Amino acid sequence: MTTTVQSNPPAIEVRDLVVRYGGGRRAMKTPPAVDGVCFDIAPGETLGLVGESGSGKSTIGKALLGLQPPTEGTIWLHGKDVTTASLKERRTLASELRVVFQDPYSSLNPARRIGQTLAESLRLIGIKGDAARARAITTLESVGLPSDSIDRFPSQFSGGQRQRIAIARALVRDPNVLVLDEPVSALDLSTQAQVLNLLADLRDEHKLAYLFIAHDLGVVRFLAHRVVVLYRGQVMESGPVEDVTSRPRHPYSVALTAAAPVPRPAEQIDRRAHREALSVGSASTAPPDPKGCPFASRCPLADGQCHAERPMLRLIGGQRVACHHAEQVGVTWPPPPN
Amino acid sequence: MSSIRQAKQQRIPAFLRSWGGVFGAGWLIFMFLASITARWWRPYDVAEQDLIARLQGPSSEYWLGTDAVGRDLFSRVFTAGALPLQASAVMVLVAFGIGLPLILIAAERGGRVEEAIGRFAETIMSLPSTVILLAAIGAIGNRIYPVMMIFGLLVSAALYRILIGVAKSSRQHLYIDAARVDGMGSIRVNLAHVLPSMARPIAVQAAIVYAIGLLIINGLAFLGFGPGEPQPSWGFMIKDASDNIFNSPWMMVPSRRRPLAHGHGGECAGRCAGRTPRHPGVHPP
Amino acid sequence: MPLYIAKRLAIGVGTIWAAFTLTFLLVHSTDNSPGAVRLGMGATPEEVEVENERLGWNRPLLTQYADDLGKMVRLDFGQSLINRGDVRDQLSDRLPVTASISVLATLLAGIVGTALGVVAAVRGRGTAKAVNAFSGFSLSIPSFWLGVVLVYFFAIRLDLLPATGYSRFSEGVGSWLQSLALPVITLAIGGAAVVARMAASGMREALAREYITTLRAIGTPEWRIRYIHALRAASLPVVGALGVQFIVLFGGSVIIENLFALPGIGQAALFGATGNDFPILIGVVVMSTAVVVITNLVLDLLTAVLDPKLRTR
């Protein structure tokens, strides 16, 4: 990751982000939800953030949005430090940084018409009345909804339509960075594709930068340019999405790639055998040794060094990998499927 | 089309969708208006005595009969309503005025703030309310409004205990987070999103607490802490009736009707709104 | 577990302190003074002033507060302003009366309420509606009205039970129970309504669980399913409700004692309120709060012992 170019700062820059939940002495003993994460997103670029549940990916999104104060580290938005900006101070910034949440049933107030929800957001930046209504209608049309949606209630829409409304709510303030927190995981497959296509079109049309949070590598592969793989709040591997998905260098990324299901039964059988050959255990509840690699307890390649020494991110090929045995991955391990 | 009907129905409160609820709410409104306006339409003055017609049953002249000194029970029953109805309303306002801000703050801040407020509420809730109210009367005198305000303080702790869960789950909605990302201030988020989503449980609790307030006021009047003779009060009328129960059992009937009607109206409206009224700590005496 | 007990104990002590402080502030916020109360209407302002001085009423508020608080810790509430007797002795004479009313009423409410709740959950819709109507009715009638009606029927019309008055336990169990019957029934009906609702919803919930379906599928007799398995699952919330009921009924006995002329704590509270007898008022509040706190504590421990999920705390 190159240092910031003064003339054209990244849309988002995150350095050494640490987030702990709770306060006091007891919280200091438990491992943080996010532990020393760095990444940046160029304008118009999409960064995928993947990991299983509990990996801290949604917490990173919340920290960016100001919903969860970071314990340590810095967040820049277009070169401006917003780490400690309160939600109110963010009101001016908020037009630049917006969010689409996972659950479209919970993210829209059921008692308010769509127009009211959109207008509420506009009123906070001083756009009221007919101007707000006109802008709301334009935005709804741009996400593929009829203009009369504005006078309806959320209960009158399907999940996919609601997610379009949530996107419209994000876009109505004309932002240039969007945090997408698993925006399609709550939708069925055919709707997922529609919403993903819409997001891709909007990105090209408005030159939007996305932080795309997901647990499904397939979805990330479709939309993201680069990807960051998280495990227990730490970056395991990051790099261009093609490299990470087709030639993963970290045992955890290998397991994630192998876990993605495919719609062809014959291939699925092969992949199951392959997955079992990896012998990657499932997540244990015991916290890992803070000195060692967080993945060591599940990793088939783990040795004494892995338990004793936390691996740093190293540049290998096109990606950065935090693994002592990254050179072996893809060469002597995993064993080829028979 | 059914979705549109559904959306329209949402604007009708749930408790008005059943006959019991409509009856309870209608009865309450009727009684409230009749009691507040009683001084303008009552057939007799509350102190007017007809010494020939004492302890009578209902007749065309005295619709609900007369008491021991020949005063018209119909006029007295309705006139007696105004004070409890108003005092209980003040109590409800105090209870929610103290309770709701604490609930909203605790739900928003969580952690130690919530723990501290919770401890405080738990302490207040363990105070025996009837005894405290008598102590208040003994100390500051038989003044119904200040006494009911103290009762409101005690009730606010029970409200906190009941509604804190509702407020916390209401804040779980992602639209709260979305509004905060919009840059909406804390007070505005609470007023625009959190409170409206709690409207139904708040209404239920208000109805129950209001009914409990009426019962408390009548209980105090029964013990002799009412507005004082010759002003009528329901509780004292029951007391009066019980003193005359040997020779005129009829008096129990009209005197009981009012407290019951209000207690039941509120209880019914509350129950029909979808929740069995269960009030830890506060209960009619 | 010891930490849990210590925490509950600390909250209990805090509650008693809060009750004392609240009453102290109420008593000291009035124009009335203990001297005036003690000497009565005939006293001149000068005499009242001398009496107040003697009672220490004119000292700084904080000094009085610290002094009274210290005395309260030693269970010394001073002398009644009206009858000059020791407050602690008077109240400890009265406590057994109130305690027996509320304990008996709680037991009765528990038995009747559970029975009604189980019947409502097990029988058809008609029974459930009847029980629900009964509990709705009982919850909304004032207990004092109900008490008068019961007196009318059982004491006056049928002449089965004494209308008012108290007979000591030492004077014979039979007459003791007779003198308490009407007040206990009056008080228990409201409690039974609450317990019935809890028991009914608990039973319904339990009967809808999947392990009950499993029991049916393997041919367990219906009575065993209902009265052994489901009732056990429903009993924990009912026990909890009973604890709350005891506290509610203890407070409710204030009115009932006055209706039936029983020499309990509630009667003392009423005398104290009518006569502005400050020491009695503070004593009654602190003692009632202590009863509530101790009951809560015992209940917390009981639930912790009964509920395996809480035992590890």
Side-chain angles (χ1 to χ4, degrees):
Chain A
M1 272 168 245
T2 49
T3 43
T4 328
V5 184
Q6 217 55 7
S7 56
N8 192 12
I12 285 198
E13 197 177 348
V14 172
R15 286 289 169 272
D16 304 316
L17 184 69
V18 178
V19 182
R20 283 175 197 277
Y21 282 110
R25 231 175 301 154
R26 208 185 303 161
M28 292 305 286
K29 279 185 197 154
T30 55
V34 177
D35 193 355
V37 168
C38 305
F39 60 84
D40 43 31
I41 308 174
E45 188 193 30
T46 298
L47 178 74
L49 205 54
V50 287
E52 56 196 15
S53 50
S55 61
K57 52 190 195 302
S58 288
T59 308
I60 293 177
K62 280 187 177 171
L64 248 59
L65 294 164
L67 293 172
Q68 176 67 41
T71 317
E72 288 167 38
T74 325
I75 301 163
W76 287 276
L77 185 64
H78 293 294
K80 276 176 286 183
D81 186 347
V82 297
T83 317
T84 53
S86 75
L87 284 158
K88 238 180 184 166
E89 284 163 4
R90 281 169 180 258
R91 193 180 289 183
T92 47
L93 309 167
S95 324
E96 301 169 356
L97 176 65
R98 308 284 292 161
V99 62
V100 176
F101 286 112
Q102 174 180 5
D103 181 3
Y105 291 90
S106 168
S107 64
L108 297 169
N109 191 335
R112 305 189 142 214
R113 291 167 203 276
I114 307 307
Q116 288 174 308
T117 295
L118 296 182
E120 173 187 278
S121 180
L122 286 171
R123 196 174 52 229
L124 291 163
I125 52 166
I127 301 173
K128 289 172 193 161
D130 289 343
R133 194 176 164 85
R135 190 149 157 187
I137 289 177
T138 325
T139 315
L140 282 172
E141 284 171 342
S142 76
V143 298
L145 289 169
S147 55
D148 65 349
S149 315
I150 196 165
D151 290 322
R152 297 205 189 166
F153 287 95
S155 58
Q156 292 167 265
F157 295 93
S158 69
Q161 288 172 318
R162 281 170 181 234
Q163 205 58 309
R164 283 170 193 266
I165 296 166
I167 294 169
R169 177 197 181 128
L171 288 179
V172 75
R173 296 247 292 247
D174 202 14
N176 38 37
V177 185
L178 245 57
V179 173
L180 305 169
D181 190 355
E182 307 207 29
V184 295
S185 347
L187 307 176
D188 59 52
L189 270 177
S190 61
T191 328
Q192 277 195 9
Q194 289 173 14
V195 172
L196 285 174
N197 277 319
L198 173 70
L199 286 170
D201 293 348
L202 290 169
R203 174 182 63 194
D204 299 341
E205 195 181 322
H206 298 282
K207 305 274 176 294
L208 295 167
Y210 288 164
L211 175 68
F212 187 84
I213 300 168
H215 57 257
D216 178 357
L217 264 180
V219 171
V220 170
R221 202 168 355 191
F222 175 81
L223 204 64
H225 302 116
R226 288 190 302 123
V227 63
V228 171
V229 178
L230 280 178
Y231 184 77
R232 289 195 189 263
Q234 296 178 25
V235 177
M236 296 289 104
E237 182 168 5
S238 70
V241 70
E242 273 310 311
D243 295 350
V244 175
T245 51
S246 62
R247 242 190 91 54
R249 295 281 187 172
H250 194 284
Y252 179 60
S253 317
V254 174
L256 265 188
T257 326
V262 286
R264 288 168 295 278
E267 197 183 331
Q268 181 72 12
I269 290 169
D270 284 351
R271 288 174 64 110
R272 186 194 303 148
H274 179 64
R275 207 161 58 233
E276 277 157 8
L278 291 177
S279 66
V280 172
S282 52
S284 67
T285 46
D289 193 333
K291 292 200 303 284
C293 171
F295 191 58
S297 57
R298 287 172 70 186
C299 185
L301 296 178
D303 57 15
Q305 189 193 10
C306 295
H307 286 285
E309 189 189 326
R310 184 164 153 181
M312 292 293 118
L313 279 168
R314 298 180 290 148
L315 192 64
I316 297 172
Q319 56 251 61
R320 301 167 76 88
V321 189
C323 179
H324 293 305
H325 306 292
E327 284 80 4
Q328 283 181 45
V329 176
V331 182
T332 60
W333 184 91
N338 33 1
Chain B
M1 276 303 103
S2 70
S3 60
I4 292 175
R5 198 178 309 140
Q6 218 178 4
K8 273 188 183 155
Q9 252 181 11
Q10 275 181 351
R11 267 165 282 165
I12 307 169
F15 69 91
L16 288 181
R17 282 184 225 156
S18 81
W19 284 112
V22 172
F23 174 77
W27 186 239
L28 261 182
I29 292 168
F30 166 72
M31 282 298 175
F32 192 86
L33 293 178
S35 294
I36 300 287
T37 58
R39 70 183 75 175
W40 292 295
W41 56 258
R42 61 190 171 205
Y44 299 91
D45 189 79
V46 288
E48 193 178 320
Q49 302 182 0
D50 184 348
L51 290 174
I52 301 155
R54 290 186 303 159
L55 293 176
Q56 284 196 342
S59 62
S60 60
E61 197 177 350
Y62 301 106
W63 290 0
L64 292 177
T66 58
D67 69 4
V69 287
R71 296 180 294 201
D72 178 39
L73 283 177
F74 182 73
S75 304
R76 287 177 69 77
V77 157
F78 276 93
T79 311
L83 181 71
L85 288 171
Q86 287 161 18
S88 189
V90 169
M91 184 275 287
V92 173
L93 287 182
V94 170
F96 278 91
I98 297 170
L100 274 185
L102 289 179
I103 290 164
L104 294 176
I105 290 171
E108 181 172 337
R109 306 294 295 276
R112 290 197 180 150
V113 177
E114 189 195 338
E115 200 172 315
I117 298 178
R119 284 279 152 78
F120 178 71
E122 205 176 325
T123 306
I124 301 276
M125 249 183 71
S126 307
L127 298 177
S129 47
T130 337
V131 176
I132 298 271
L133 291 187
L134 280 180
I137 290 173
I140 63 177
N142 180 20
R143 292 184 291 175
I144 193 71
Y145 283 101
V147 169
M148 288 312 281
M149 283 175 184
I150 292 173
F151 186 56
L153 170 76
L154 301 180
V155 168
S156 69
L159 286 180
Y160 176 86
R161 169 94 161 253
I162 293 167
L163 292 175
I164 182 70
V166 180
K168 279 173 78 177
S169 72
S170 159
R171 281 199 83 89
Q172 294 290 314
H173 290 298
L174 287 172
Y175 60 77
I176 305 281
D177 278 349
R180 288 172 67 203
V181 172
D182 280 353
M184 217 185 215
S186 153
I187 294 173
R188 224 154 146 182
V189 168
N190 277 316
L191 289 181
H193 293 287
V194 184
L195 271 184
S197 73
M198 296 169 67
R200 191 177 298 174
I202 286 178
V204 172
Q205 292 308 321
I208 296 170
V209 166
Y210 188 67
I212 290 173
L214 290 176
L215 286 168
I216 287 277
I217 294 170
N218 291 314
L220 290 176
F222 177 82
L223 292 178
F225 303 114
E229 286 289 297
Q231 282 305 308
S233 72
W234 296 333
F236 200 76
M237 286 165 81
I238 294 178
K239 170 89 177 136
D240 201 20
S242 73
D243 292 345
N244 289 296
I245 198 157
F246 287 93
N247 31 32
S248 177
W250 162 254
M251 267 174 73
M252 280 306 288
V253 179
S255 65
R256 156 261 184 194
R257 176 165 295 164
R258 299 305 306 285
L260 165 64
H262 286 283
H264 194 64
E267 204 271 338
C268 200
R271 194 182 58 232
C272 297
R275 200 168 289 239
T276 312
R278 244 178 255 146
H279 237 267
V282 209
H283 193 270
Chain C
M1 195 73 185
L3 185 75
Y4 176 67
I5 298 174
K7 248 185 186 171
R8 308 303 310 175
L9 211 59
I11 292 177
V13 171
T15 309
I16 297 177
W17 170 79
F20 171 77
T21 308
L22 181 66
T23 326
F24 180 87
L25 289 176
L26 278 172
V27 162
H28 282 265
S29 67
T30 62
D31 315 330
N32 214 338
S33 72
V37 174
R38 198 179 156 101
L39 298 179
M41 302 284 266
T44 65
E46 291 74 28
E47 286 168 344
V48 169
E49 200 47 43
V50 170
E51 186 66 16
N52 279 339
E53 195 61 47
R54 194 183 70 77
L55 291 167
W57 184 258
N58 296 336
R59 291 174 297 161
L61 197 63
L62 265 176
T63 318
Q64 290 190 55
Y65 179 70
D67 197 32
D68 287 4
L69 190 63
K71 280 185 182 162
M72 185 205 72
V73 172
R74 298 193 298 273
L75 287 177
D76 177 5
F77 301 107
Q79 279 184 353
S80 160
L81 297 175
I82 309 287
N83 62 19
R84 320 265 159 118
D86 185 71
V87 170
R88 181 182 39 184
D89 293 348
Q90 289 187 12
L91 292 184
S92 45
D93 278 351
R94 289 169 175 278
L95 194 59
V97 182
T98 309
S100 31
I101 301 174
S102 24
V103 168
L104 289 177
T106 311
L107 288 179
L108 188 65
I111 294 166
V112 174
T114 311
L116 283 177
V118 168
V119 166
V122 168
R123 293 280 174 85
R125 271 178 68 86
T127 323
K129 274 195 169 172
V131 170
N132 202 25
F134 159 76
S135 58
F137 177 78
S138 329
L139 279 176
S140 49
I141 46 171
S143 62
F144 46 93
W145 181 82
L146 184 72
V148 177
V149 172
L150 288 179
V151 166
Y152 177 69
F153 280 109
F154 289 99
I156 297 171
R157 275 296 168 86
L158 303 175
D159 199 17
L160 288 174
L161 295 162
T164 55
Y166 179 67
S167 161
R168 282 171 173 278
F169 189 76
S170 51
E171 290 165 34
V173 182
S175 60
W176 175 71
L177 275 177
Q178 271 194 349
S179 70
L180 289 182
L182 283 180
V184 165
I185 293 170
T186 308
L187 212 48
I189 284 182
V194 176
V195 175
R197 285 189 171 187
M198 295 220 71
S201 70
M203 276 297 275
R204 264 185 223 118
E205 225 166 81
L207 285 170
R209 299 287 277 278
E210 283 179 356
Y211 74 88
I212 297 287
T213 318
T214 314
L215 286 173
R216 285 217 176 93
I218 61 173
T220 315
E222 192 62 27
W223 66 267
R224 251 192 99 79
I225 292 177
R226 283 178 185 167
Y227 304 112
I228 307 277
H229 295 279
L231 190 57
R232 185 195 293 158
S235 65
L236 200 67
V238 169
V239 170
L242 273 183
V244 177
Q245 277 312 302
F246 174 78
I247 294 162
V248 170
L249 298 183
F250 190 85
S253 67
V254 170
I255 289 180
I256 291 304
E257 280 169 21
N258 288 297
L259 175 61
F260 290 98
L262 299 171
I265 295 274
Q267 208 184 37
L270 181 66
F271 290 164
T274 339
N276 306 100
D277 198 342
F278 298 160
I280 287 274
L281 288 177
I282 293 183
V284 166
V285 168
V286 169
M287 258 176 119
S288 314
T289 313
V291 169
V292 170
V293 161
I294 291 167
T295 317
N296 273 336
L297 204 63
V298 171
L299 271 168
D300 281 343
L301 294 180
L302 204 66
T303 359
V305 172
L306 282 180
D307 191 348
K309 274 184 281 183
L310 291 175
R311 215 176 294 161
T312 48
R313 266 209 293 197

